[in-house]
Amino acid sequence: VLTEIRNDFIKVLINEINNLNKIKELSYIQNEAADFKWVKDILLNSDFVFYRTEKNLTHFEYSNSAIENILDNINTVFYVETKDLISKILPQFLPKFEKFKNDLRDNKISVIEYSIRSDLGIEKYIRQLGVPIFEDGKLAQIVGVLKNITKERAIQQKLEKTEETLKVFSETYN
């Protein structure tokens, strides 16, 4: 009888230790998740989104709601028809976008920069990276990153203008 009681006690003790370990694991996971909250904050407040498409490129699915800020459209959340995105691209960039799509279909990683007119009529510069994913020799989907580079372009243009001004001053005073 004492052996049975001892065995039962040991089983209960082992069970309680396992429960404590599970609680510690859960606590650790919750703490780790809190430690990475900054990642979520960055993604939600960023000027870039990860995206994926199906092989027919009929729509883009986005990783976060930053696409709303890029396109200035509050109804865009996570999903944009390709034709709607293309309709925002300024006409002079459409041939480059077609080449971008064709490169992806030809199993080439591709990067493009283009301008769009957002839903609020604001011109924005976009850099888009696409990576084709093939399965059984056929295009299965495209994944990539779409980034608003409007601020970068403005800084670059100011820098070029400043360099031009300095060059004129340098030539004038030499």
Side-chain angles (χ1 to χ4, degrees):
V1 175
L2 285 176
T3 304
E4 287 178 18
I5 293 172
R6 185 179 58 115
N7 287 345
D8 286 344
F9 177 75
I10 290 172
K11 285 179 186 175
V12 169
L13 188 59
I14 289 172
N15 203 20
E16 288 303 312
I17 290 170
N18 286 336
N19 287 339
L20 281 174
N21 285 337
K22 287 178 185 175
I23 291 170
K24 285 180 184 176
E25 267 182 49
L26 181 60
S27 176
Y28 175 76
I29 290 169
Q30 288 172 339
N31 288 340
E32 286 295 308
D35 289 346
F36 288 100
K37 183 180 179 296
W38 62 271
V39 173
K40 181 180 177 185
D41 292 341
I42 287 173
L43 289 175
L44 291 176
N45 298 310
S46 66
D47 282 343
F48 70 91
V49 292
F50 298 102
Y51 71 88
R52 70 181 280 285
T53 70
E54 296 300 324
K55 62 183 172 190
N56 57 12
L57 292 172
T58 58
H59 66 277
F60 289 84
E61 295 174 12
Y62 296 98
S63 62
N64 62 44
S65 59
I67 192 64
E68 294 176 358
N69 297 331
I70 292 171
L71 301 178
D72 292 330
N73 182 336
I74 60 169
N75 299 318
T76 301
V77 182
F78 306 119
Y79 182 90
V80 174
E81 299 264 341
T82 302
K83 63 182 174 63
D84 293 338
L85 178 63
I86 290 173
S87 71
K88 296 174 187 333
I89 297 174
L90 297 184
Q92 64 266 33
F93 293 98
L94 289 174
K96 283 176 68 175
F97 194 79
E98 273 306 308
K99 182 182 179 328
F100 172 77
K101 289 190 330 187
N102 290 335
D103 285 349
L104 293 169
R105 287 187 181 116
D106 291 339
N107 200 13
K108 297 177 188 170
I109 295 173
S110 191
V111 177
I112 182 176
E113 289 185 6
Y114 56 89
S115 289
I116 63 167
R117 179 121 5 243
S118 75
D119 289 353
L120 297 177
I122 300 168
E123 186 175 332
K124 295 186 177 188
Y125 293 94
I126 305 297
R127 181 179 300 128
Q128 185 171 348
L129 164 72
V131 179
I133 297 177
F134 278 72
E135 293 175 1
D136 300 323
K138 295 180 181 176
L139 181 62
Q141 67 178 324
I142 296 166
V143 296
V145 178
L146 189 132
K147 182 175 183 356
N148 181 353
I149 59 167
T150 305
K151 291 175 187 173
E152 291 174 33
R153 287 293 290 257
I155 292 168
Q156 181 183 9
Q157 289 170 346
K158 285 179 184 178
L159 180 60
E160 288 170 1
K161 190 174 180 179
T162 302
E163 287 175 347
E164 193 175 303
T165 303
L166 287 173
K167 185 177 177 182
V168 169
F169 282 145
S170 175
E171 290 171 359
T172 302
Y173 290 110
N174 283 337

